[in-house]
């Protein structure tokens, strides 16, 4: 069932990547992307929780399991919700960390809308490969920075890789889809 979530987030990430490449990313569109991602994930995970409940309810063995409703809540939380909440918290944590790094470099590294899409990218990348997202983002910023130095661009210009965040998330999501069945010990449920 968790594969449904990863494929849904993969499609969402591809749509966001195409949108950012075509229209660009500003503060309002970053907030819209954040809200769409939250609504989509709440809907999809809530729907899977509901479908799981009805599957157990209409199954004689599942009905026995539902006698202990706390087990159902535990199962649904670990199966559908904990990785989402962990990804969201990691996104806010690394967004704050990059915000501090940006302040140290006098706001030349990242723009304000990039901090809003950090949690979205962590959700799209998915657990557990979203741990590699900050490293991938730093590598992208590093290559863009040195590419601008080699091309002789102005040094006061903001170094931004916001067009590539969703691409990084989509690539990490694909790694999750490919390798997560082999890495079940990383799953919460």
């Amino acid at each position: 069932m968790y594969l449904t979530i990863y494929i849904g987030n993969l499609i969402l990430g591809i749509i966001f990547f195409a949108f950012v490449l075509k229209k660009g990313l500003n503060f309002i569109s970053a907030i819209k992307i954040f809200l769409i991602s939250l609504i989509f994930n709440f809907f999809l995970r809530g729907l899977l929780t509901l479908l799981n409940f009805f599957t157990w309810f209409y199954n004689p063995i599942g009905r026995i399991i539902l006698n202990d409703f706390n087990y159902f809540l535990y199962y649904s939380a670990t199966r559908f919700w904990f990785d989402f909440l962990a990804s969201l918290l990691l996104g806010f944590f690394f967004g704050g960390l990059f915000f501090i790094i940006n302040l140290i470099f006098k706001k030349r590294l990242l723009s304000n809308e990039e901090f809003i899409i950090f949690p979205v990218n962590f959700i799209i990348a998915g657990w557990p490969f979203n741990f590699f997202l900050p490293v991938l983002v730093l590598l992208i910023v590093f290559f863009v920075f040195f590419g601008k130095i080699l091309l002789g661009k102005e040094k006061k210009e903001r170094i931004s890789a916001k067009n590539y965040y969703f691409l990084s998330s989509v690539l990490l999501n694909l790694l999750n889809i490919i390798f997560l069945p082999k890495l079940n010990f990383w799953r919460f449920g």
Side-chain angles (χ1 to χ4, degrees), residues 6 14-15 32 44 47 65 73 77 89 102 106 138 167:
Y6 284 112
I14 292 170
I15 291 169
K32 287 179 184 176
L44 186 60
L47 180 66
I65 296 172
L73 292 177
L89 288 174
N102 197 35
K106 298 178 181 143
L138 283 175
L167 178 64

Side-chain angles (χ1 to χ4, degrees), residues 37-47 81 84-85 88:
S37 176
L38 283 182
I39 291 169
F40 175 78
N41 272 281
F42 273 113
F43 173 76
L44 186 60
R45 292 165 195 275
L47 180 66
W81 294 96
F84 169 68
L85 294 175
L88 196 60

Side-chain angles (χ1 to χ4, degrees), residues 161-177:
K162 60 185 171 185
N163 292 341
Y164 305 106
Y165 289 134
F166 289 110
L167 178 64
S168 304
S169 298
V170 165
L171 291 174
L172 289 174
N173 188 313
L174 283 172
L175 288 175
N176 264 324
I177 290 171

Side-chain angles (χ1 to χ4, degrees), residues 9-21 24-26 29-34 36-37 113-114 116-125 133 136-137 140 161-174:
N9 279 329
L10 177 69
I11 293 168
L12 196 65
I14 292 170
I15 291 169
F16 288 158
F17 178 63
F19 175 79
V20 168
L21 280 182
L25 185 69
N26 58 27
S29 65
I31 290 175
K32 287 179 184 176
I33 286 173
F34 178 73
I36 289 169
S37 176
E113 54 270 0
E114 292 179 76
I116 297 171
I117 62 170
F118 260 105
V120 175
N121 285 296
F122 272 84
I123 292 169
I124 290 172
L133 188 62
L136 210 52
V137 168
I140 289 170
K162 60 185 171 185
N163 292 341
Y164 305 106
Y165 289 134
F166 289 110
L167 178 64
S168 304
S169 298
V170 165
L171 291 174
L172 289 174
N173 188 313
L174 283 172

Side-chain angles (χ1 to χ4, degrees), residues 15 39 63 67 86 102 108 124 158 161 183-184:
I15 291 169
I39 291 169
R63 198 174 290 213
N67 285 335
N102 197 35
R108 288 189 342 188
I124 290 172
R158 176 176 287 140
L183 299 173
N184 273 335

